[in-house]
Amino acid sequence: MDYLPIFLNLADQPCAVIGGGEVAARKVALLRAAGAKVTVTAPTLCPALAQLAERGEIAHRAEAFSPAALDGAVLVIAATDERAVNAEVSRLARAQRLPVNVVDDPDLCSFIMPAIVDRSPVVIAASTGGASPVLARLLRARLEAAIPAAFGELARLAQRFRARVRERLAAEDRRAFWERVLQGPIAELVFSGRTHDAERALEQALAAAAARQPDPVARGEVYLVGAGPGNPELLTIAALRLMQQADVVLYDNLVSREVLELTRRDAERIYVGKKRADHALRQEQINALMVELAQKGQRVLRLKGGDPYVFGRGGEEIESLAAAGVRFEVVPGVTAASGVAAYAGIPLTHRDYAHSCVFVTGHLKEGVMDLDWHGLARPKQTIVVYMGLLGLEALCRQLIAHGLPEDMPAAVVQQATVPQQRVVTAALRDLAARVAEAGLRPPTLVIVGDVVRLRDKLAWYEAQER
């Protein structure tokens, strides 16, 4: 370990910054965020620092650097564009045993500034020891994506209860108690913005633990999570967090293997997908299974392709959970239509081509596609049809019969957002034949409308693949 990572308490402490440019302004912002009293020494200041000085939020010594600039400081940062000046700042600070950082010059530093993830009071620092600041920033970006913004609120909740837990629980019980709190339903209440409910639940959990009774909060729950259209990079941060903590995963046919691999390694995986005429479980059985597992105390991840509430029967599943008194959480996902729009180069709306967009399901019931054909066949409207491949010929015929031009552009997209993506475009009258010739297979999405004309210009994903 080349550097010892430490966290300094700089609240109301005097700190000296030498230099008045944009780089100095960024360092001043960090020091002020930590509560420091900052004095900037520089003949002139950049606009950001000048405004702070005008408002009295920092002190300004309008002069070139001299040893007096370090008087009384507990920490020094040199951020001028002259290495000789920076070197002199470093020499004098070290002589006074003051911690000193010289921006972008590790050889002159006694400490380095890490990349910071701020979830105050939780603060995480990532450093490469000055070897590669860009790599440190990349590490910070990954940490930012992985750590919920509400982690700070969770820490504050724990802080409020820390003394009470110490008073009421024996030392050997505290660690297990806090692990249950910080990794279970109480933490999820905080992450979903329900801090008041989390505080009440924590009080109940503490009372039960002190009385050696079962935890009233530690009961099963269900996470209904949208897995998106297939590309794992389109998952939300909330989805990834819940995928990593579930005990059991119930997943659909439309959930890609790459997405499924991001669930917890030791979680039980149960396939409950439904294909045409091939249902692993009926919907009623899926509903009952979720309730049964949750009532056994399991954390159940119901992983659904796309978005749970867009032709995913998520509403039906939540009704069953609510009726059984099972706690649940819903995390939306990127629906297939949005994935197609981004990856096939077909925007759903466009000022020149489409002022509205409508989503419908093309699922056949007793061989018939029962849709509001007059409502669909409107000008300047994009039609997105889920599960429309089987009835594609009837779909095109009915749209033409109800007023759409035969040469209206249309597309069928197979496996959108993943490398296996295929797109067939044609006039509405020819679409079914072209799709049959291409041999497209589910999962697919049908898009009808003038926006399809833009595909050749906007298909960035396929251009990258080429």
Side-chain angles (χ1 to χ4, degrees), residues 392-447:
L392 183 59
E393 185 176 352
L395 172 72
C396 297
R397 184 173 62 250
Q398 289 285 4
L399 289 175
I400 292 171
H402 287 83
L404 284 187
E406 291 188 348
D407 61 352
M408 173 66 74
V412 176
V413 185
Q414 173 183 296
Q415 291 183 279
T417 77
V418 298
Q420 296 77 26
Q421 174 176 299
R422 297 177 65 195
V423 183
V424 172
T425 59
L428 195 57
R429 61 173 175 265
D430 302 321
L431 184 64
R434 297 290 178 270
V435 168
E437 291 170 4
L440 295 192
R441 296 288 184 269
T444 60
L445 202 76
V446 182
I447 303 179

Side-chain angles (χ1 to χ4, degrees), residues 16-288:
V17 175
I18 315 304
E22 297 294 339
V23 174
R26 291 197 291 271
K27 304 306 179 184
V28 168
L30 288 173
L31 293 173
R32 293 186 67 243
K37 294 180 177 179
V38 181
T39 298
V40 177
T41 298
T44 59
L45 299 178
C46 69
L49 290 177
Q51 290 179 6
L52 293 176
E54 288 172 8
R55 296 196 297 262
E57 296 178 24
I58 62 172
H60 177 211
R61 295 170 58 99
E63 60 189 36
F65 172 71
S66 67
L70 307 185
D71 289 349
V74 300
L75 180 143
V76 179
I77 294 179
T80 78
D81 55 5
E82 298 181 26
R83 193 172 194 275
V85 174
N86 291 341
E88 181 65 5
V89 173
S90 176
R91 185 186 69 80
L92 292 173
R94 287 171 183 262
Q96 299 179 48
R97 297 185 177 179
L98 293 174
V100 59
N101 173 265
V102 178
V103 177
D104 290 335
D105 201 335
D107 292 340
L108 297 179
C109 296
S110 65
F111 77 95
I112 55 177
M113 298 287 280
I116 295 171
V117 178
D118 187 1
R119 300 285 190 270
S120 294
V122 177
V123 178
I124 302 168
S127 173
T128 62
S132 177
V134 172
L135 180 57
R137 288 196 293 271
L138 292 174
L139 289 171
R140 179 184 63 191
R142 293 197 178 190
L143 291 169
E144 290 274 12
I147 299 170
F151 244 67
E153 185 60 40
L154 181 61
R156 285 188 288 273
L157 176 64
Q159 185 179 39
R160 291 196 294 273
F161 276 80
R162 187 175 179 186
R164 277 182 273 177
V165 171
R166 188 185 302 114
E167 291 172 0
R168 303 187 65 181
L169 297 185
E172 61 270 18
D173 297 330
R174 291 176 205 153
R175 178 174 176 179
F177 175 80
W178 281 120
E179 286 178 346
R180 291 195 302 273
V181 168
L182 299 177
Q183 298 183 81
I186 293 174
E188 284 305 317
L189 288 172
V190 175
F191 296 151
S192 59
R194 299 164 59 190
T195 303
H196 181 71
D197 292 337
E199 188 157 354
R200 187 168 58 246
L202 183 48
E203 288 174 349
Q204 295 172 357
L206 177 56
R212 300 283 181 176
Q213 295 175 350
D215 187 346
V217 181
R219 62 183 190 271
E221 56 190 339
V222 175
Y223 314 132
L224 191 67
V225 172
N231 189 327
E233 293 189 0
L234 297 180
L235 288 166
T236 65
I237 295 172
L240 282 169
R241 185 183 75 251
L242 296 177
M243 289 165 65
Q244 283 293 311
Q245 68 183 42
D247 304 308
V248 183
V249 180
L250 309 183
Y251 65 99
D252 277 351
N253 176 55
L254 295 178
V255 176
S256 69
R257 178 180 56 82
E258 292 80 5
V259 168
L260 189 61
E261 285 301 311
L262 294 176
T263 59
R264 210 175 89 190
R265 291 289 181 186
D266 58 344
E268 180 184 3
R269 297 177 182 177
I270 302 175
Y271 174 68
V272 296
K274 296 186 286 292
K275 302 178 185 177
R276 183 167 57 91
D278 180 15
H279 294 185
L281 291 177
R282 298 191 309 276
Q283 186 63 54
E284 297 78 10
Q285 293 174 304
I286 296 173
N287 298 347

Side-chain angles (χ1 to χ4, degrees), residues 298-460:
Q298 300 276 56
R299 292 174 294 181
V300 182
L301 174 70
R302 178 68 174 102
L303 197 57
K304 305 176 74 69
D307 181 275
Y309 282 175
V310 181
F311 302 121
R313 303 188 73 171
E316 298 173 43
E317 296 179 354
I318 292 306
E319 282 184 306
S320 297
L321 297 173
V326 172
R327 186 169 50 212
F328 61 85
E329 181 175 347
V330 181
V331 177
V334 175
T335 189
S338 297
V340 167
Y343 281 73
I346 304 173
L348 299 178
T349 61
H350 188 284
R351 186 172 60 179
D352 298 330
Y353 297 104
H355 298 164
S356 64
C357 177
V358 60
F359 296 175
V360 298
T361 174
H363 183 69
L364 297 177
K365 187 174 183 179
E366 297 179 357
V368 177
M369 191 180 295
D370 185 17
L371 297 173
D372 178 10
W373 299 109
H374 290 289
L376 293 178
R378 292 175 177 170
K380 294 219 178 253
Q381 176 173 267
T382 303
I383 307 166
V384 178
V385 186
Y386 288 69
M387 297 169 282
L389 185 62
L390 181 62
L392 183 59
E393 185 176 352
L395 172 72
C396 297
R397 184 173 62 250
Q398 289 285 4
L399 289 175
I400 292 171
H402 287 83
L404 284 187
E406 291 188 348
D407 61 352
M408 173 66 74
V412 176
V413 185
Q414 173 183 296
Q415 291 183 279
T417 77
V418 298
Q420 296 77 26
Q421 174 176 299
R422 297 177 65 195
V423 183
V424 172
T425 59
L428 195 57
R429 61 173 175 265
D430 302 321
L431 184 64
R434 297 290 178 270
V435 168
E437 291 170 4
L440 295 192
R441 296 288 184 269
T444 60
L445 202 76
V446 182
I447 303 179
V448 180
D450 285 318
V451 290
V452 178
R453 302 182 194 279
L454 296 169
R455 171 172 154 70
D456 290 340
K457 292 181 181 179
L458 305 182
W460 63 271

